[in-house]
Amino acid sequence: MSRFSQPDPELGHRLSRRGMLGVAAGATAAALLGAAAPANAATRNATAATGSATPATTSGTKGRGRPVLPPGRLGIQLYSLRDKVSTLGFGPVFAELERYGYDEVEFAGYTQGSAGPITLAQLKRLARNHGLNPIGSHVGYYSDDPNAYTFAQNLTKVLDDAQALGLKHIGTASGPFRYGSTVDAWKRAAEDFNTYGAAARARGMKFYQHNHSEEFSFATDNPKVRLYDILLKETDPDLVHLEMDIYWAYVGQFRFSKRPDGTPAPFEPLNYVLRQPDRYPLFHVKDGESDPSNPYGYNMTDVGDGDIDYQRFISAVTRLRGHRLAHHWQAEHDNPADSFTFARRSSAHLHSLREKC
């Protein structure tokens, strides 16, 4: 299913993910869903024999040299595999991810419609049994429902659950639009994020915000000011971190390289990271084919099938002094044609990339 079959793909993404998070809102730690018996770790090495490609057997960008992808830092956002979790449970999904060479998983709700009770401690153990490190999770920012599972409504519960899973990062994929799109509105949202960041830091975690493209638009009361720049300026860099969704950042570049009055306002997503690399512990690696006829500039694809130069992007970040292992790279596709195929091919492509000599 093409993401761009929706009238507003970005809105569709937000609503579908919000619905998924809503399932988690009503769950307690003892009633989370989705489990299966862990498979033998040797299945990672048996992939070629069973017909599923591994990073070592699938070609991508060929050449000699150091791998672009740092060891132990490839993850996947489980939202991409929500269909498989809902039908198979977490166990079989984790077994496949182990076979494909993944190191980490990022949650977007802890249920995803799967059947079979499991506690957070069991979910954590299940991931670890398959060599997967639970690295982060997306939770809603706010809701009109006082009982909602969001940072604004239930901060303590959100952090309790993150600690139970052993997460080092806990964040939101909601944009900072709670109070509107003015400069002051984003300053207020930044204050909220600073509060959540301080609470997360007290628990030994990092709070983060994941962008879509609208964050790169302009303040309605001052169209010379980019909203994303307000977020960076008004949040404490020690408390609030960013997970750059690289695809949506390049969609933002396509959509918002001119101000509303038509004057140029170019920006390069990579430069945000290079200027403040410590603020970006996490990334979403998703790909898109350039399509200027599309109002979003791209058609989403499996990683490696699109036009975003991940060899350049990842290399530029990991070449920074002291940053080879400082970041986590999460593959994602909002609506893959087949989610296991997406996961396998994305891992194979990213593992195949080599530094240019």
Side-chain angles (χ1 to χ4, degrees):
M1 175 180 174
S2 170
R3 170 165 178 91
F4 293 98
S5 64
Q6 304 175 44
D8 186 336
E10 189 165 359
L11 177 60
H13 171 88
R14 289 175 177 172
L15 293 177
S16 61
R17 183 169 297 210
R18 183 179 301 168
M20 177 177 162
L21 292 170
V23 178
T28 64
L32 298 172
L33 305 178
N40 191 299
T43 55
R44 185 194 297 270
N45 299 322
T47 304
T50 61
S52 296
T54 66
T57 61
T58 304
S59 62
T61 302
K62 297 180 180 180
R64 297 180 179 180
R66 184 176 71 165
V68 168
L69 189 70
R73 291 296 185 269
L74 178 61
I76 192 165
Q77 167 51 255
L78 291 171
Y79 180 77
S80 304
L81 295 156
R82 60 197 182 277
D83 63 319
K84 295 297 192 293
V85 174
S86 68
T87 54
L88 302 176
F90 281 106
V93 170
F94 288 169
E96 286 298 298
L97 295 178
E98 179 184 21
R99 293 170 65 193
Y100 301 159
Y102 283 93
D103 309 297
E104 302 173 335
V105 290
E106 182 186 30
F107 292 95
Y110 309 131
T111 61
Q112 298 182 268
S114 180
I118 186 173
T119 67
L120 288 171
Q122 290 170 333
L123 182 58
K124 174 184 175 181
R125 185 165 57 251
L126 184 62
R128 295 295 173 87
N129 285 345
H130 289 288
L132 299 169
N133 178 32
I135 193 64
S137 182
H138 287 186
V139 176
Y141 169 17
Y142 67 95
S143 172
D144 293 332
D145 178 2
N147 298 313
Y149 191 81
T150 64
F151 283 95
Q153 277 66 44
N154 277 292
L155 177 61
T156 299
K157 174 61 175 170
V158 167
L159 297 181
D160 285 347
D161 288 351
Q163 276 196 306
L165 276 170
L167 302 181
K168 296 299 183 183
H169 308 83
I170 181 69
T172 184
S174 303
F177 293 94
R178 180 181 186 181
Y179 308 107
S181 299
T182 64
V183 172
D184 285 342
W186 273 55
K187 287 183 178 180
R188 289 183 64 191
E191 291 177 3
D192 287 348
F193 285 6
N194 284 332
T195 298
Y196 310 150
R201 185 179 182 181
R203 306 269 197 120
M205 294 179 284
K206 292 181 179 179
F207 170 81
Y208 64 95
Q209 193 267 341
H210 163 285
N211 65 275
H212 293 87
S213 69
E214 288 290 341
E215 283 88 335
F216 297 96
S217 63
F218 300 93
T220 53
D221 61 335
N222 188 346
K224 293 183 178 180
V225 176
R226 194 180 302 279
L227 291 172
Y228 196 70
D229 295 337
I230 301 172
L231 180 65
L232 286 168
K233 181 180 179 182
E234 298 295 330
T235 51
D236 185 332
D238 293 328
L239 301 178
V240 177
H241 299 82
L242 290 308
E243 177 180 62
M244 179 174 281
D245 186 304
I246 300 168
Y247 169 88
W248 283 117
Y250 279 104
V251 171
Q253 182 191 59
F254 177 85
R255 297 181 65 196
F256 303 113
S257 283
K258 291 184 179 179
R259 298 182 181 87
D261 64 2
T263 57
F267 73 95
E268 166 55 52
L270 176 58
N271 288 342
Y272 276 105
V273 182
L274 298 183
R275 286 193 293 264
Q276 300 186 65
D278 291 330
R279 297 207 72 177
Y280 293 88
L282 305 170
F283 293 90
H284 272 192
V285 179
K286 64 175 68 164
D287 212 343
E289 292 179 319
S290 179
D291 180 4
S293 68
N294 187 313
Y296 289 82
Y298 293 88
N299 297 309
M300 197 176 292
T301 67
D302 290 353
V303 179
D305 289 346
D307 299 314
I308 297 177
D309 190 345
Y310 277 110
Q311 180 162 312
R312 166 181 170 266
F313 195 105
I314 299 174
S315 292
V317 177
T318 58
R319 283 175 178 169
L320 295 171
R321 186 176 181 87
H323 282 271
R324 175 71 175 160
L325 297 175
H327 308 275
H328 305 265
W329 307 87
Q330 315 294 309
E332 187 185 34
H333 191 310
D334 293 354
N335 289 296
D338 180 85
S339 55
F340 277 155
T341 299
F342 152 75
R344 173 179 54 81
R345 296 183 70 245
S346 297
S347 173
H349 173 74
L350 290 168
H351 278 103
S352 75
L353 297 178
R354 293 294 182 270
E355 298 273 6
K356 292 181 179 178
C357 299

